[in-house]
Amino acid sequence: MFWMLGYAVWGLAPIAWDAYSGGFTRVQWVACGLWVIFMAHAEGYKGFQKSFSPRTAARIHYLWTKPNVLHSILAPFFSMGYFHGTRRTKTVAWCLSLGVLGLVLLVGYLPQPWRGIVDVGVVVGLSWGMISLAIFLVRAFVRGEPDASPGVPE
């Protein structure tokens, strides 16, 4: 899980940094600041900290306490809720992934510095997500009980 998020941050950071090399206009600085604030709140706080991270940590904890060969082999996909989940869990996982894929494809067509500005916000949101996931995992394993339901069928 951390590898996938870290890989995305590692890949986007140079593109984001490249946007700064050409210099920003005032409008671009304002856009960048507002976008970073928006992404920190929407992706980092609401998306990861309030939803994805607690559920994913709960699913990882569930897999640890109730191991299953298939779930273990496909652990990243199980943890994100692509299968063996409630209908809502699976629907959210698939829709969110397809939406992100669509946005990634669209952002690839933006010229610099706008693509870099978008990527700065994404790097902030993903970094927040990695930190929140680590915190929820530690809490789940130290306390022995996750903060959220794993969203698995009974």
Side-chain angles (χ1 to χ4, degrees):
M1 191 66 51
F2 288 101
W3 180 86
M4 291 188 305
L5 294 172
Y7 183 78
V9 168
W10 187 260
L12 292 175
I15 297 168
W17 184 256
D18 187 46
Y20 290 108
S21 65
F24 281 176
T25 65
R26 283 191 184 122
V27 170
Q28 291 166 337
W29 276 113
V30 169
C32 185
L34 292 173
W35 182 249
V36 166
I37 291 167
F38 172 77
M39 289 300 286
H41 178 74
E43 183 182 13
Y45 177 71
K46 292 195 75 150
F48 276 101
Q49 186 174 332
K50 290 294 189 185
S51 183
F52 180 84
S53 295
R55 185 187 65 244
T56 303
R59 291 179 68 84
I60 292 169
H61 184 267
Y62 176 88
L63 184 57
W64 183 263
T65 58
K66 297 178 175 104
N68 173 300
V69 174
L70 179 62
H71 297 169
S72 297
I73 291 170
L74 300 172
F77 303 104
F78 172 82
S79 300
M80 289 189 287
Y82 289 121
F83 69 95
H84 192 69
T86 62
R87 182 179 178 147
R88 182 181 187 282
T89 299
K90 291 186 287 188
T91 302
V92 167
W94 283 101
C95 288
L96 186 62
S97 295
L98 292 173
V100 167
L101 178 61
L103 289 173
V104 166
L105 293 174
L106 288 174
V107 168
Y109 289 107
L110 288 175
Q112 283 289 30
W114 297 106
R115 178 172 180 195
I117 289 171
V118 169
D119 288 344
V120 168
V122 173
V123 166
V124 168
L126 290 176
S127 298
W128 188 316
M130 288 172 44
I131 293 166
S132 71
L133 180 58
I135 291 168
F136 281 104
L137 280 169
V138 168
R139 287 170 55 167
F141 282 92
V142 168
R143 291 188 320 199
E145 179 180 316
D147 289 305
S149 165
V152 294
E154 293 302 322

